[in-house]
Amino acid sequence: MMQIDSYDVFIEFNFKGLQYHGIEKIKLSTEDKVVLDAEGVKVTRVRINGKSVDFLSDEKTVTISTGNFSGIIEVEFEGKVRDDLVGMYIAPYDNSYIFTTQFESSHARKFIPCVDNPSYKAEFKFTVKVDKDLDVISNMPPQKIYYEGDKKIIEFLKTPKMSTYLIYMGVGKFEEYYDYSSQPIVIVATVPGKILKAKIPADFARKFIKFYEDYYGIKYQLPKAHFIAIPEFAFGAMENWGAITFRETALLADENSSVRQLRRVAEVIAHELAHQWFGDLVTLKWWNDLWLNESFATFMSYKAVNWLHPDWDYWGEFLYSETAGAMEKDSLHITHPIEVEVKKPEEIEQLFDDISYGKGASILRMIESYMGEEEFRKGISNYLNKFSFSNAEGKDLWNSLEEASGKPISNIMPSWIVQEGYPLITVKVKDNIIKFEQRRFMLDGSTDDKIYMVPLTLEVNGNKKISLLLDSKEKEYNVGEKVNSIKVNLNRAGFYRVYYDDLRILGSMNHLEKFGLINDYFSFLLAGIIPFEEYEKIVQSMMNEESYLPVLELASQLFKLYAINPKKYSSLALQFHESQEKIWRTKTDALGKLTYSNIIENLVQMDYNFALELSKEMANFSSIDPNKKDAVARAYAIVNEDSVFDEILDKYRKEKFDEEKMTYLKAMLSFKKPYLVSNTLSLSLTGEIKKQDIVRILPIVAYNVEAKEAVWSWLKTYMDNIRKYYQGTGILGRVLSDVLPILGIGKEKEVEDYFNKHPMPESEKGIRQGIEKLKIFSRLA
């Protein structure tokens, strides 16, 4: 057994040559040998007590035979800065670049030789030598800076005990915004010219740190909290302890940003800060429990944003963005349990998905609803205090929650995390008796014999609230009075679907419950449980709905149906969108603006006359409501086609901030002429569209019904390029799972044959999910 105590690492960067070399002193003890992970890093010498010793290297490890040993091993190494998006890589901007790192899950080994395993926590002390005009950011603040000729040496403070995947190193030129108002110091860093959008994120961060300190009962542990906007970044953000990295659109915002952008920035900052305790201070033992990190940070981020902005109704956003996506993915045959056995690092990346994030977070919300908010908070606080600076696993958390609440949490949780899927609860009422039946819900209409322990919540006759545990296939409940009305799954807190034997008995619903009903019944339509006529009745009953959440959900469903078959579904989709556009156009609150922007973005793509009218606002584009800009730019492109391609491309090129650039990029993806869309997509091959954005735009352009053939042809042609950009991550597979069901309508066999002939192991799960969903969507075409 090997024990790592600390790493003392010196690195000198050749910034122009895209190289570095280093020496690290690793304090450790072992009974036999030392095996270090090192991938793409060349170890040149190993010393013990000043003497060189032999070592064996292969492509992934360095092995040093030591026998029983306790002391310091000195390792010299050299490496090249990578051109993909993991390890230590180059992130270009304008005519310059920075070096930056992305190490989760197992990419620290691509930067320095180390034991790249989350359970091997150690202290890290970095000393970095660079050209004197460059800046360096790491997890801790500098302890000392001194100069040698044209070089600068920065010696950083030692970190607390932490896992390798949380190390951060950034090298280049940065601008910084500081908030010294309290501890820790909050710093926002950007590449030059972008610091103007730093104040709002810094304010968010300061408030969320205070929220988490109060909620957890534990102070933030480091002297600084750095928030770094990276110009080229595969993920949304990464929780490196004390030095959190973000893609620019996930961090930067100002008073001219849309409501959608402000909400996204707040949520991502809250998510990564939640990790500073849950993931960084207390870390999973192994990647089987990845979901614990991500589910909890997801759940807590919505809690924090809802606390700061109750006017944003962020639990509604949680259902729309997290629960709904997770339920769709988990109703496929190609899914996985929340807790997955991970045998090798390559398997980890495909687990960063809707199950590990959205389902896990939804189960935590269900358990909190079952336990009570204060008991849940106490259980979390006890867990974090007990395992600070060490590692834990799922059962440790369930035990803490059970001790705090006195409820059988450790009995309930395996039902939801060890087995995949979730139940459909059928509700039948006769006089005083409610009969519940459960079966696993599958989107293709099949089922199996799984039974779930379901904490049911219901309201009878408008005033009687009942909670019960459904732990069998069927259960009858005698209310003690005639049941005139009923609703099940209050506030949509449970991770299950509800089918009513008779919808006429449904009680009065709030906006969360209305969302649940229409989300469930759209899924029942896909699964063949209800006919289209029954679904259409629900849509018709909500034509004049004034709650934003069910409106957003119905708009999304109807736009998806339109993309599947415009001729068949355009009439209903247009009727709903036109009715809702009249309701929301005059709303001035945040949710009203958010809803209106969604409605008109869909409308310009379905209704040329609406696009023609809206496109006229392009004349005053700089002064219109930022929430309308995406729709106006798309309308302008749709109406004018070839004549404005160069104009919009020029605007895209000239914009400094990614938030604004994305508005013009979405417009260019909205052209109805297929060759214009192909030309836009091909900007990714020249570097004009960032590597990070290629997969982000595919779900947008897949819904351009006139260009789908061209998009599919382009994707097939350049698939290998895209794979290269995203190697080492599972991102492409996750995107294909959402894109193929729309792009592949009408060419199901061709899509399946293509991926049979061009296997992509790193994306296999997502591709299989996409093909499965394509077959389901095709039934509606």
Side-chain angles (χ1 to χ4, degrees), residues 251-277:
L251 178 64
L252 302 180
D254 62 14
E255 61 279 359
N256 296 315
S257 295
S258 66
V259 171
R260 186 185 298 168
Q261 175 67 6
L262 289 168
R263 282 159 61 99
R264 184 187 182 208
V265 166
E267 189 271 319
V268 178
I269 290 172
H271 181 106
E272 304 309 326
L273 277 171
H275 274 309
Q276 304 299 290
W277 287 264

Side-chain angles (χ1 to χ4, degrees), residues 65 88 105 124 214 365 397 407 481 573 649 688 702 705:
S65 295
M88 164 68 74
S105 54
F124 293 85
D214 292 344
R365 179 172 177 254
L397 179 59
K407 293 186 174 176
E481 60 187 76
L649 178 57
E688 289 212 67
V705 295

Side-chain angles (χ1 to χ4, degrees), residues 30 58 67 105 107 142 162 186 189 272 280 293 306 340 362 387 588 599 639 654 712 768:
T30 180
D58 59 30
S105 54
H107 306 300
M162 58 185 272
V186 168
E272 304 309 326
D280 296 3
N293 274 16
N306 202 60
V340 179
S362 300
F387 294 100
T588 56
I599 293 292
V639 168
K654 287 179 177 175
W712 171 240
R768 290 168 64 206

Side-chain angles (χ1 to χ4, degrees), residues 139-140 159-160 183-185 220-225 241-243 276:
N139 304 81
M140 298 294 284
T159 71
Q183 288 298 314
I185 299 166
Y220 180 89
Q221 294 294 306
L222 304 187
K224 72 171 175 84
W241 208 358
Q276 304 299 290

